[in-house]
Amino acid sequence: MMRYKLNWLVPLLLTVSLAGCSGGNKPAEETSNAPATPAAPAAAIDPATVGEVTGQVSFDGQAPAKVRIHMDAVPACTEANKEAVFSEEVVVNDNKTLRNVFVYVKEGLGNRTFPPPSEPVLIDQKGCWYHPHVLGVMAGQKLDIKNSDPTNHNIHPMPSQNREFNQSQPPGAADLMQDFARPEVMIPVKCNVHPWMKAYIGVVANPFFAVTDDKGSFTLKGLPPGDYTIEAWQEKYGTQDQKVTVGPKESKTVTFNFKG
């Protein structure tokens, strides 16, 4: 009789024990199949409140000596240039400012997105030289590549974040149309036929960019109110950042200074 009671009691004790151990733990949370909450849409830009950032890029120091470009090996190039041609690595204007500095909004636009313009940006190979030397495009915007010379060229951008291409363009050939899918500041460009030909392309995700002119000036128009980081890039001297807050309908001035 005792043996029978023990055989009945052992399974009962095991059942009670297991129930007690599991009773202190919370049940596993069920995995939800509900879709993730989408990000809030970017705030629309009210044209009635936009402002702008203007400024200059100054140069502090003695302007470097001009470096002449010799094209004697290619008669078509020398014939196309009646005057001497000089490197555009550093161009100091008469008012002690810098030309060919790429200035753009680096941060501050949040999750706003901007469609690329339908109008392409032109780069021309003329006089065995790239015109302009520094230019900007939006990601996805077409780059119109023209050969205005009576000699063969090829254009060879060398990006690190975008697709590389290297295309020949004989005299009289149709324009080439290319684009860059991702922002990248800056993309160097060379011509494998004429090694002195160099250019730089700034690819950005917004329309707020400019290249300084012969007065070292730039303007970034149509900015919505906000706090921004503006970056200036120069081929030899690198980059500088400036913080600026733009209020509704406000115009702010930013000055960059590169030391020689």
Side-chain angles (χ1 to χ4, degrees):
M1 180 65 68
M2 182 63 69
R3 184 177 181 181
Y4 171 78
K5 289 181 178 179
L6 289 175
N7 288 341
W8 171 82
L9 185 58
V10 169
L12 179 60
L13 292 173
L14 287 173
T15 302
V16 174
S17 175
L18 291 173
C21 291
S22 61
N25 295 331
K26 294 181 180 179
E29 295 182 1
E30 295 182 1
T31 302
S32 174
N33 292 323
T37 303
I45 296 177
D46 181 358
T49 65
V50 297
E52 65 179 22
V53 173
T54 63
Q56 280 189 324
V57 180
S58 62
F59 180 76
D60 184 7
Q62 184 175 354
K66 292 183 177 181
V67 178
R68 184 171 180 177
I69 304 299
H70 295 281
M71 307 179 184
D72 304 350
V74 186
C77 295
T78 55
E79 291 171 8
N81 294 282
K82 303 305 180 183
E83 298 181 355
V85 178
F86 297 93
S87 168
E88 292 183 278
E89 182 182 47
V90 178
V91 179
V92 181
N93 298 314
D94 293 340
N95 62 347
K96 295 288 287 183
T97 61
L98 286 170
R99 197 180 312 183
N100 293 329
V101 178
F102 186 72
V103 183
Y104 70 105
V105 172
K106 182 179 181 180
E107 296 175 350
L109 291 164
N111 60 343
R112 288 187 174 96
T113 58
F114 302 89
S118 58
E119 187 74 17
V121 174
L122 177 67
I123 182 170
D124 193 3
Q125 297 156 108
K126 187 175 182 180
C128 299
W129 205 248
Y130 285 124
H131 300 273
H133 180 65
V134 175
L135 65 151
V137 297
M138 281 186 64
Q141 185 178 10
K142 291 297 183 183
L143 179 66
D144 182 355
I145 306 162
K146 181 184 291 292
N147 182 3
S148 295
D149 281 335
T151 188
N152 189 60
H153 286 298
N154 85 299
I155 185 161
H156 185 186
M158 296 170 290
S160 61
Q161 306 297 323
N162 284 277
R163 177 182 58 86
E164 183 176 355
F165 63 87
N166 183 1
Q167 290 185 259
S168 294
Q169 203 170 15
D175 290 9
L176 300 172
M177 288 290 183
Q178 292 286 353
D179 59 37
F180 301 97
R182 287 171 289 278
E184 185 171 350
V185 178
M186 302 285 287
I187 298 177
V189 182
K190 69 176 182 178
C191 173
N192 291 352
V193 180
H194 309 110
W196 60 81
M197 291 179 64
K198 296 179 181 179
Y200 292 88
I201 302 172
V203 185
V204 292
N206 64 72
F208 308 112
F209 61 88
V211 179
T212 56
D213 57 18
D214 58 0
K215 302 297 182 184
S217 301
F218 66 89
T219 301
L220 308 176
K221 294 182 178 180
L223 278 169
D227 299 320
Y228 297 102
T229 299
I230 312 296
E231 183 165 276
W233 172 95
Q234 203 285 329
E235 180 178 346
K236 181 176 180 178
Y237 301 120
T239 61
Q240 290 185 10
D241 289 352
Q242 293 269 11
K243 303 285 187 180
V244 62
T245 297
V246 179
K249 298 183 179 181
E250 193 173 22
S251 180
K252 284 294 185 71
T253 301
V254 173
T255 301
F256 295 91
N257 180 263
F258 286 92
K259 298 183 183 296

